[in-house]
Amino acid sequence: MYRSHNCGELRGEHIGNEVTLSGWVQRSRVMSGQIFIDLRDRYGITQLSFIDNEHPDVFANAKKLGREFVVQITGKVVERQSKNPNLPTGDVEVVAEALTILNSSKTPPFTIEQDTDGGEELRMTYRYLDLRRAPLQQALKLRHNVSMEVRNYLSEQDFLEIETPYLIKSTPEGARDFVVPSRMHPGHFYALPQSPQTFKQLLMVSGYDKYFQIVRCFRDEDLRADRQPEFTQIDCEMAFVEQEDVLNTFEGLTKALLKKIVNIDMQKPFPRITYADAMETYGIDKPDIRFDMTLTDITHLAQNKGFQVFDQAEYVGGIVVKDGASMSRKEIDKLINFVKRPQIGVKGLVWVKCNDPIKSSVDKFFTAEQLNQWKNEMNATSGDLILLIADEGYRARKALGELRLHLGNMLGLRNPMEFAPLWVVDFPLLEKDDESDRWHAMHHPFTSPKPEDIALLKSDPGSVRANAYDLVLNGNEIGGGSIRIHNRELQSTMFELLGFSKEDAEAQFGFLMQAFEYGAPPHGGIAFGLDRLVAILGGQENIRNFIAFPKNNAGRDLMIESPSTIDAEQLEELGLGLV
Ligand code: ASP
């Protein structure tokens, strides 16, 4: 028997017991006559004490132990002289009577403790060592708990978890496909799923009216910070539902997760906002509503007073920083530099300090009375700071949205352990790609237009709204879905609009359109990004901490060194030889 208890288990009540523990040596303190060792496993840390006077052989052996040696000890639980209130096992220690070294260890390249001295690259290269640290173990445990809760909740609601294949054909979700060459069919390729979208729709045709799957998806995108080329979705689909049914079902799931995982009882329905309103009021389609600071359009008040910058802009609007009038010139300059960065790219900020008298950076052009009009329009009060941006409408709002989040961070308004979910609904069906001048599906090509907007599909595609929705949590899109098209004609019109030739549409999605001809029920669904959801519930930004073996920002696995080349023979076999 390797152990009678784990390293997080012993308490005052065990004093006097004879126990056996196995684990890793986290730390040892050698003193004359006595050695203290922190023994670690995934349950915690227990202090061991080796006493020269009592067990000289064991003591001598313990002297040889280095960090991360794997050991087994047997001994007696005693009360600790100096207790450690920060450790659940901190009242006791085990006086070792026998020690077996199960394995030695090289000195690890970084310290394996709560906080480590290792840089991210090094820790990713030795991921198996980093995973020994408590924060990562807690993160993976949280992930497990979330997955279990999802499975329990959905299963109670009659959902079936059904696996769909990984070696498939392109499923367009707006990224490039990862492809896998077929050895048996030289020159032919599988694509890895960007999502199980088409398969889950086929399952609806087959009558599995409530499906879910915790599933890996693969998207070959230009990597942005904290994106993973493979990531996990909680993928769901339901038949015989309208948007309302889907929202209610998954609001229920989200509430259950908040209750079980972070112990927050959310009684009220989640707020809902249309995409258009979100853009107007927050400058972004995934608003963080943990704080206000919403955007106000004052174009009508600000123009035609002789200030060119405002007069020439499509939009003049801003946000109010509560009690911000005391900000120094230097602090405001920093905000100006923030919005002038190329990623945001507006020309500057106009500020108004709501003091008595009211003061602004455009006093030359506007009277105090005019500034007060803005103040009233924006619901600012004495002591507040108004920040304004004038530009083309979309760019100005987007910049204000970014400034709002920046200020939210600066002012500590984004408490990671406060949770503010909301639904964003009525997304546009299509968006124009300026470069190619072509329409793209904003969600994906299987999303249904709102029935009342179908008539506009040919005449004014840009104004057609979709039955599509996102679930947003603390400024992150954690889920997105739609009611689908389940009719062949409409699906082919959609492909046509997206610039597919009849032949291409048929070659890529003929199977789905054909299935629609055999009694496809109305259906819709949603998919949650599990990695992100878990990170947010854990109060963290970095999703890599919640993935056992993630890739770095360049899409590489530094531990196994992938991607890597393959040899000529293998290429040849796959029909990819350079002959
Ligand atoms: N397949 C979609 C996605 O991956 C989700 C959905 O529409 O259900 O974003």
Side-chain angles (χ1 to χ4, degrees):
M1 183 186 69
Y2 279 111
R3 49 187 175 179
S4 61
H5 294 80
N6 64 49
C7 294
E9 209 175 340
L10 299 176
R11 300 287 184 275
E13 74 211 46
H14 295 101
I15 290 171
N17 288 11
E18 194 76 11
V19 297
T20 302
L21 302 180
S22 290
W24 287 264
V25 173
Q26 172 153 314
R27 228 174 227 228
S28 70
R29 270 160 296 142
V30 181
M31 293 177 304
S32 71
Q34 192 168 18
I35 299 174
F36 288 110
I37 281 181
D38 285 346
L39 192 69
R40 172 195 353 100
D41 64 14
R42 83 171 167 93
Y43 305 93
I45 289 177
T46 300
Q47 176 161 294
L48 312 178
S49 147
F50 297 82
I51 304 170
D52 196 5
N53 274 338
E54 292 182 16
H55 303 281
D57 294 353
V58 182
F59 178 84
N61 236 345
K63 269 189 166 166
K64 297 184 214 145
L65 297 178
R67 277 160 53 200
E68 302 309 316
F69 274 48
V70 190
V71 301
Q72 181 195 32
I73 65 104
T74 297
K76 189 168 264 150
V77 183
V78 302
E79 184 168 4
R80 221 154 120 168
Q81 272 173 359
S82 50
K83 300 198 169 44
N84 180 351
N86 299 323
L87 213 58
T89 61
D91 283 353
V92 297
E93 66 190 19
V94 179
V95 177
E97 292 153 11
L99 164 67
T100 312
I101 299 179
L102 300 172
N103 211 342
S104 63
S105 169
K106 284 169 114 179
T107 305
F110 48 87
T111 50
I112 301 178
E113 297 189 8
Q114 180 78 23
D115 297 314
T116 173
D117 55 356
E120 172 133 42
E121 295 259 304
L122 188 63
R123 285 187 288 122
M124 286 186 81
T125 308
Y126 294 90
R127 184 70 173 176
Y128 48 90
L129 294 180
D130 205 19
L131 285 172
R132 282 185 194 162
R133 296 197 305 119
L136 286 160
Q137 301 202 331
Q138 280 151 12
L140 292 189
K141 186 161 175 216
L142 183 80
R143 184 186 179 106
H144 164 82
N145 291 343
V146 171
S147 299
M148 287 301 285
E149 181 56 26
V150 167
R151 290 201 159 97
N152 288 338
Y153 185 90
L154 292 177
S155 173
E156 294 246 303
Q157 309 266 329
D158 275 341
F159 280 78
L160 299 181
E161 183 164 22
I162 302 174
E163 288 169 89
T164 52
Y166 281 161
L167 295 175
I168 62 167
K169 227 173 167 171
S170 180
T171 310
E173 295 278 0
R176 289 191 184 83
D177 292 322
F178 280 104
V179 295
V180 179
S182 159
R183 180 185 54 82
M184 295 209 284
H185 305 279
H188 289 70
F189 296 82
Y190 300 100
L192 299 178
Q194 294 185 32
S195 80
Q197 186 61 35
T198 47
F199 285 94
K200 69 174 172 176
Q201 292 193 237
L202 292 171
L203 285 170
M204 295 305 111
V205 178
S206 309
Y208 296 85
D209 63 350
K210 291 177 173 183
Y211 142 96
F212 85 102
Q213 183 182 191
I214 297 185
V215 61
R216 199 67 53 80
C217 301
F218 307 85
R219 297 186 189 176
D220 186 3
E221 292 179 281
D222 294 332
L223 292 155
R224 274 185 267 149
D226 222 20
R227 279 270 178 119
Q228 291 283 317
E230 53 177 303
F231 60 95
T232 304
Q233 283 191 343
I234 307 165
D235 190 47
C236 313
E237 196 75 4
M238 303 169 81
F240 304 115
V241 287
E242 295 176 335
Q243 173 165 312
E244 196 59 32
D245 303 305
V246 180
L247 299 194
N248 287 334
T249 303
F250 293 98
E251 187 161 321
L253 170 65
T254 310
K255 282 182 174 168
L257 289 173
L258 287 168
K259 179 75 193 116
K260 281 270 163 63
I261 307 294
V262 287
N263 197 22
I264 288 179
D265 223 334
M266 233 166 243
Q267 300 286 350
K268 288 210 202 106
F270 294 176
R272 293 185 191 182
I273 187 173
T274 64
Y275 169 85
D277 285 346
M279 297 305 286
E280 182 72 33
T281 357
Y282 296 96
I284 193 164
D285 62 359
K286 42 179 182 180
D288 184 347
I289 57 165
R290 281 173 296 182
F291 64 107
D292 285 336
M293 220 190 274
T294 49
L295 281 51
T296 311
D297 180 347
I298 60 158
T299 317
H300 58 295
L301 293 177
Q303 288 188 330
N304 304 322
K305 304 286 186 302
F307 182 46
Q308 291 252 332
V309 176
F310 282 4
D311 290 349
Q312 286 166 4
E314 187 186 358
Y315 171 97
V316 183
I319 54 178
V320 176
V321 186
K322 276 268 143 256
D323 301 321
S326 55
M327 254 190 216
S328 68
R329 183 65 229 203
K330 222 168 147 190
E331 285 171 308
I332 295 181
D333 279 348
K334 276 201 192 142
L335 297 177
I336 295 176
N337 287 336
F338 174 82
V339 297
K340 282 165 105 178
R341 294 180 318 158
Q343 302 93 306
I344 299 190
V346 293
K347 296 207 186 64
L349 279 178
V350 165
W351 55 261
V352 181
K353 289 188 172 179
C354 301
N355 289 331
D356 197 15
I358 195 161
K359 250 199 97 21
S360 79
S361 57
V362 286
D363 280 350
K364 262 199 270 167
F365 302 94
F366 299 95
T367 63
E369 195 187 327
Q370 285 161 347
L371 298 179
N372 273 312
Q373 264 187 346
W374 303 354
K375 175 181 158 195
N376 291 338
E377 182 79 6
M378 298 183 74
N379 287 325
T381 52
S382 181
D384 292 351
L385 172 72
I386 295 174
L387 297 170
L388 298 168
I389 288 178
D391 212 305
E392 178 269 318
Y394 177 78
R395 186 174 327 132
R397 287 193 185 90
K398 191 162 165 283
L400 284 170
E402 305 245 18
L403 179 64
R404 175 179 175 271
L405 290 178
H406 180 66
L407 282 159
N409 286 335
M410 254 176 69
L411 303 172
L413 303 173
R414 307 183 73 193
N415 172 2
M417 289 323 279
E418 184 187 332
F419 297 94
L422 93 156
W423 291 105
V424 180
V425 297
D426 295 356
F427 276 83
L429 183 70
L430 302 161
E431 61 185 341
K432 188 75 155 258
D433 176 45
D434 288 335
E435 255 170 53
S436 61
D437 201 34
R438 276 174 49 170
W439 291 108
H440 281 265
M442 192 140 176
H443 187 49
H444 51 54
F446 314 109
T447 295
S448 168
K450 281 195 178 289
E452 62 269 32
D453 289 2
I454 290 184
L456 297 167
L457 266 181
K458 294 249 154 86
S459 57
D460 185 9
S463 72
V464 176
R465 290 164 308 156
N467 264 329
Y469 31 80
D470 276 355
L471 182 59
V472 173
L473 183 58
N474 295 0
N476 295 277
E477 180 206 322
I478 56 157
S482 59
I483 297 299
R484 326 296 184 189
I485 296 168
H486 64 284
N487 161 292
R488 178 173 186 126
E489 262 60 61
L490 188 54
Q491 189 63 71
S492 43
T493 308
M494 188 68 188
F495 284 131
E496 221 175 284
L497 261 174
L498 297 173
F500 283 79
S501 68
K502 273 230 152 18
E503 296 70 39
D504 280 354
E506 193 54 44
Q508 280 194 54
F509 303 110
F511 64 95
L512 185 68
M513 291 193 283
Q514 185 176 348
F516 287 171
E517 295 178 309
Y518 287 94
H523 60 283
I526 192 167
F528 290 81
L530 179 69
D531 312 290
R532 169 81 46 209
L533 173 62
V534 172
I536 296 173
L537 292 174
Q540 289 186 37
E541 298 267 310
N542 187 342
I543 65 169
R544 286 194 292 273
N545 288 344
F546 295 84
I547 300 172
F549 298 103
K551 304 204 173 14
N552 74 0
N553 274 343
R556 298 189 62 85
D557 184 319
L558 299 173
M559 181 182 64
I560 60 172
E561 298 187 335
S562 78
S564 58
T565 54
I566 56 177
D567 60 34
E569 203 178 315
Q570 212 175 350
L571 282 172
E572 196 69 43
E573 212 172 54
L574 292 168
L576 298 172
L578 299 171
V579 219

